Amino acid sequence: MTDTPPDLRFLASHEWIRLDQETKIATVGISNFAQEQLGDVVYVELPEVGSVLISGDEVAVVESVKAASEVYAPISGEVVEINNALEQDPNLINDSPYDGGWFFKVKVEEDHQENIDSLMTTENYLQRLEEN
């Protein structure tokens, strides 16, 4: 099992977010648990650069040999980068959900920092998985 980095925050729907405090750019992906549940990922539909996301909205789709699943925005902000490598190799999500398999990056407005702080810590998320 992939080690879960301690600096992430999670939604109950298994998306993770990592905020760079200096740049206020947040990287978003899905958890190791989510990719294991999906199985081999074969396709990813990502938001467009410049899109403005609203926290909780469906922003991407992941398709695997088993199912398709929506990806929700953990935070509001503007998409500043997408992981183009996923178009060529969507299996990066399976191989490296917390590093090479990230989905997109969002510029976080200062007033949304408290929204990130309200998400589950890595410890809380892992605890929740054990309880379910």
Side-chain angles (χ1 to χ4, degrees):
M1 179 175 201
T2 302
D3 289 330
T4 307
D7 62 335
L8 304 179
R9 294 292 181 134
F10 290 87
L11 290 174
S13 53
H14 309 290
E15 291 84 1
W16 59 261
I17 186 168
R18 175 185 291 127
L19 179 64
D20 181 317
Q21 291 291 347
E22 286 184 31
T23 64
K24 298 299 182 197
I25 302 289
T27 304
V28 177
I30 62 170
S31 71
N32 187 57
F33 174 81
Q35 71 80 20
E36 285 177 346
Q37 296 300 303
L38 284 167
D40 292 335
V41 175
V42 295
Y43 175 76
V44 180
E45 182 180 316
L46 299 172
E48 293 183 21
V49 171
S51 299
V52 176
L53 308 180
I54 304 298
S55 179
D57 282 358
E58 179 184 318
V59 295
V61 176
V62 182
E63 293 182 13
S64 71
V65 293
K66 290 183 186 179
S69 183
E70 294 79 23
V71 175
Y72 299 95
I75 191 74
S76 298
E78 180 182 347
V79 176
V80 294
E81 185 179 349
I82 60 169
N83 188 351
N84 290 313
L86 296 180
E87 291 178 6
Q88 300 299 316
D89 187 8
N91 199 252
L92 283 170
I93 297 165
N94 298 114
D95 295 340
S96 181
Y98 301 118
D99 293 309
W102 61 274
F103 284 40
F104 55 89
K105 295 185 180 187
V106 177
K107 176 71 176 167
V108 179
E109 299 301 322
E110 194 65 43
D111 58 343
H112 292 292
Q113 174 67 46
E114 65 187 39
N115 295 348
I116 293 174
D117 293 342
S118 71
L119 298 175
M120 284 183 278
T121 64
T122 296
E123 183 179 346
N124 296 141
Y125 177 73
L126 294 174
Q127 204 169 33
R128 183 175 180 271
L129 289 178
E130 286 179 18
E131 292 169 359
N132 291 331

